[in-house]
Amino acid sequence: MKVENAPWSLGCLAGLIVLLLGLIVNAGCAHHASKLDPPGYSFGPVARYNAAVQITARCIGMDGETYVWNGSGVIVSKDRLLTAGHIAETEGMICAFTAEDIKGQTFLIRPIAVLSSNDIDLASMGLISYTEEFNAERTRFGSVPLLGDKVCVATAYPRREYKCGDVMMPKADPPGDIRIDLVVEPGNSGSGLYNANGELVGIMVHTYPNRGNKQYISGGASSLEGHLKELMR
């Protein structure tokens, strides 16, 4: 589905202007972040570059209240990043989005396409004020991994890290889901899922609580296969 904004009231419009001014001011405040490599694992150029970004949404609801949430995303071209659909959903709210890259650079982003249904939870967002030079060879896409394949997730929120595990169900329930045997936590939604060749194959979107072990929650990813054309248009 496409993103559509609700009608703006004067109060909401004023609040959005305040939000944007704050984001622009904060965009110049960067902190140092060191690059990380997957421990004992050979990835391709995508993961080595750390294309993962932290996404922050600041929204004003129709009730006048302010809502803030965070997630992860992955830059896939000089003007586009991919994330989970529920992170970019703005129904009934006026929102301003920012992303922060591995170097601590903060920049504005905006939803372009949101695919949200029982079967899929993906979104693409445009990079409005990103100045980092982009290498076209950085992002390569792959097909749905097979049962038992090794995959890794590059997260940016709540912390930058690589988490690797095995594919438990290549096409789980709902259809198009990839169930991964690794620990995930709130904020990992939108992280890129990579195969052993460093190809981006999915986006983390939800968790699978495991019976009998409340400390361990496995992850679910939406496959990019069949959706890239709509996301990258």
Side-chain angles (χ1 to χ4, degrees), residues 1-8 12 57-65 67 69 85-97 111 114-117 123 125:
M1 60 178 265
K2 294 182 179 179
V3 176
E4 296 182 357
N5 289 329
W8 294 15
C12 289
R58 296 177 175 86
C59 302
I60 299 175
M62 299 308 293
D63 56 2
E65 295 293 325
Y67 300 89
W69 62 85
H86 63 269
I87 292 177
E89 185 62 64
T90 62
E91 185 175 355
M93 292 183 288
I94 300 171
C95 299
F97 292 88
V114 178
L115 312 181
S116 182
S117 68
M125 305 188 78

Side-chain angles (χ1 to χ4, degrees), residues 172-215:
D173 185 20
D177 234 31
I178 306 169
R179 184 168 180 174
I180 314 301
D181 182 25
L182 53 78
V183 178
V184 294
E185 58 187 304
N188 288 173
S189 288
S191 301
L193 178 70
Y194 299 94
N195 63 19
N197 296 320
E199 296 169 329
L200 186 64
V201 297
I203 299 293
M204 299 302 296
V205 296
H206 63 82
T207 61
Y208 282 102
N210 288 347
R211 296 178 181 176
N213 187 352
K214 295 182 180 180
Q215 301 301 315

Side-chain angles (χ1 to χ4, degrees), residues 148-169:
D149 281 358
K150 178 72 73 175
V151 289
C152 290
V153 175
T155 70
Y157 187 83
R159 68 191 65 85
R160 290 189 173 275
E161 62 179 343
Y162 288 98
K163 298 187 275 193
C164 299
D166 300 321
V167 175
M168 298 171 63
M169 296 176 66

